[in-house]
Amino acid sequence: MAPMTDMDKMVELVKELKGQRNAVILVHNYQRPEMYRIADYMGDSLGLSVKAAETDADVILFCGVKFMAETAKVLNPKKTVLLPNLDAGCSLADMATIEKLREAKEMHPGAAVVSYVNTSAEIKAMSDICCTSANAIEVVNSLPQKKIIFLPDKNLGKYVQQHTNKEVILWDGYCFVHDKLDADMLLDFKSRYPDAKIISHPECKEELLKVSDHICGTGGMAKFAKSDGSKNFIIVTECGMTEKLREDVPEKNFLSFCNICPYMKSTAMPLVVRSLVQNVHEIALPDHIINGARKAIDRMLAVSKSSS
Ligand code: 13P
Ligand code: SF4
């Protein structure tokens, strides 16, 4: 038997600590591959929210970014929610500020506010309903209002606009990881692999989505690759997704057209160990924010449940 590496030892330690603390570890699809080894559940933002709502563990440790850990706290106010590294933010979420949302609401009275889960808990508390990349179209179409303030991702907003009769008011926000991926460069890449199908995340620009064969959030990518007749796929999103697909769908080939999200990659195994030992960094939110955000998240979960 090969000797244990330092990583093997850390993984064993995390598993032991997890048992001692009755903790559950939720891991987003973009995380470093070694995190797969400690995950109780891996998935997209929607799947992770559903798991956070269902767990009976005492501690939820989030290997993802801060808005995801906040969502877990909103759904479990009495539990300890840990984020191993406070640098795990999201520049897209930071583009939705309370002041800007107040202005938008004043400018469009009567419009519904749909906030992508990539927002702070404060913004969620000011919203009618949340959505993820997996259910954004459904959520918008479920609303009685004709006018929708959609924040903060303009690319996802434009994509939703093309699949609804509602008037979607776009926000000037974007994810730099996805927004800087270029359609011409993708076509050039594809010309070298003509039989590969392109699967893109809807945070990518419109020109890029137009040349894609399939558009979905991270949770839909494996499903499409498994069911589609093609053998080869070009994955257009954060680079970690390709690794995850190679693991989940080993019978197919995945090529990456991607960028790295430094926030997602800022969680490393030693920080997970520290988090469980020192109980850092604990997510804390005021009650009124928890109550407000909870309504918006619960409405989203109800829409997703009714259509699944
Ligand atoms: P998903 O909800 O598709 O997992 O996306 C989360 C995210 O941060 C995309 O950049
Ligand atoms: Fe935020 Fe973009 Fe990173 Fe997702 S990939 S966490 S949207 S910066």
Side-chain angles (χ1 to χ4, degrees):
M1 209 167 70
M4 275 181 104
T5 62
D6 286 349
M7 183 57 76
D8 294 338
K9 288 179 195 160
M10 271 190 287
V11 168
E12 286 312 306
L13 181 57
V14 168
K15 287 182 181 166
E16 200 182 310
L17 292 165
K18 197 165 72 162
Q20 283 169 14
R21 298 211 55 189
N22 187 25
V24 68
I25 300 187
L26 304 181
V27 178
H28 187 265
N29 288 325
Y30 292 162
Q31 290 284 294
R32 297 162 184 249
E34 64 266 28
M35 297 307 170
Y36 307 176
R37 300 175 63 186
I38 55 164
D40 292 296
Y41 178 76
M42 287 200 69
D44 64 346
S45 308
L46 179 62
L48 293 171
S49 301
V50 171
K51 288 288 163 191
E54 287 171 356
T55 186
D56 53 12
D58 297 321
V59 176
I60 300 171
L61 185 137
F62 231 105
C63 296
V65 290
K66 191 169 174 220
F67 71 79
M68 297 177 176
E70 283 190 349
T71 301
K73 183 69 185 175
V74 167
L75 292 167
N76 297 280
K78 297 220 156 52
K79 293 188 197 293
T80 300
V81 177
L82 298 175
L83 184 69
N85 188 351
L86 281 183
D87 290 342
C90 169
S91 55
L92 169 60
D94 294 341
M95 289 175 185
T97 62
I98 294 171
E99 297 70 34
K100 270 176 77 179
L101 181 51
R102 273 200 200 114
E103 268 171 42
K105 282 178 157 198
E106 273 168 29
M107 217 144 71
H108 305 285
V113 177
V114 177
S115 65
Y116 193 27
V117 284
N118 301 42
T119 47
S120 67
E122 285 83 358
I123 293 291
K124 290 183 177 78
M126 294 171 72
S127 307
D128 293 289
I129 189 165
C130 292
C131 73
T132 71
S133 56
N135 60 21
I137 296 168
E138 261 179 283
V139 163
V140 165
N141 284 332
S142 76
L143 295 168
Q145 291 90 338
K146 181 84 187 83
K147 239 182 176 186
I148 311 290
I149 300 170
F150 189 93
L151 71 152
D153 191 86
K154 63 180 173 192
N155 294 325
L156 179 62
K158 272 188 206 163
Y159 173 67
V160 170
Q161 205 169 46
Q162 287 156 10
H163 294 85
T164 181
N165 294 323
K166 312 237 178 222
E167 181 188 345
V168 181
I169 299 150
L170 300 175
W171 195 267
D172 192 18
Y174 59 92
C175 161
F176 75 102
V177 175
H178 289 87
D179 191 75
K180 71 180 177 196
L181 293 167
D182 178 76
D184 289 336
M185 281 171 73
L186 173 60
L187 287 174
D188 184 50
F189 187 80
K190 158 107 180 165
S191 68
R192 280 175 276 147
Y193 307 98
D195 66 333
K197 285 216 174 133
I198 300 175
I199 309 180
S200 300
H201 196 281
E203 285 174 17
C204 295
K205 283 198 286 271
E206 188 180 7
E207 307 89 77
L208 196 146
L209 297 181
K210 267 192 202 150
V211 300
S212 301
D213 296 289
H214 188 65
I215 299 160
C216 62
T218 66
M221 292 186 175
K223 224 178 281 168
F224 178 75
K226 275 182 196 161
S227 65
D228 191 77
S230 311
K231 179 90 179 146
N232 304 318
F233 298 89
I234 299 171
I235 304 304
V236 189
T237 183
E238 205 278 339
C239 301
M241 194 63 222
T242 316
E243 290 298 323
K244 184 71 178 52
L245 287 166
R246 286 179 186 143
E247 176 110 347
D248 289 350
V249 197
E251 67 278 17
K252 304 264 170 122
N253 301 320
F254 297 99
L255 298 157
S256 262
F257 186 80
C258 67
N259 280 315
I260 295 225
C261 172
Y263 305 110
M264 282 284 182
K265 297 298 194 260
S266 71
T267 302
M269 201 61 80
L271 298 176
V272 175
V273 174
R274 184 189 67 171
S275 182
L276 287 167
V277 173
Q278 297 180 4
N279 206 46
V280 289
H281 299 277
E282 214 183 316
I283 302 290
L285 294 167
D287 285 349
H288 71 283
I289 298 294
I290 289 188
N291 296 336
R294 173 95 201 208
K295 285 187 195 135
I297 296 168
D298 277 348
R299 283 191 198 119
M300 167 186 83
L301 294 175
V303 170
S304 280
K305 208 177 263 172
S306 70
S307 64
S308 61

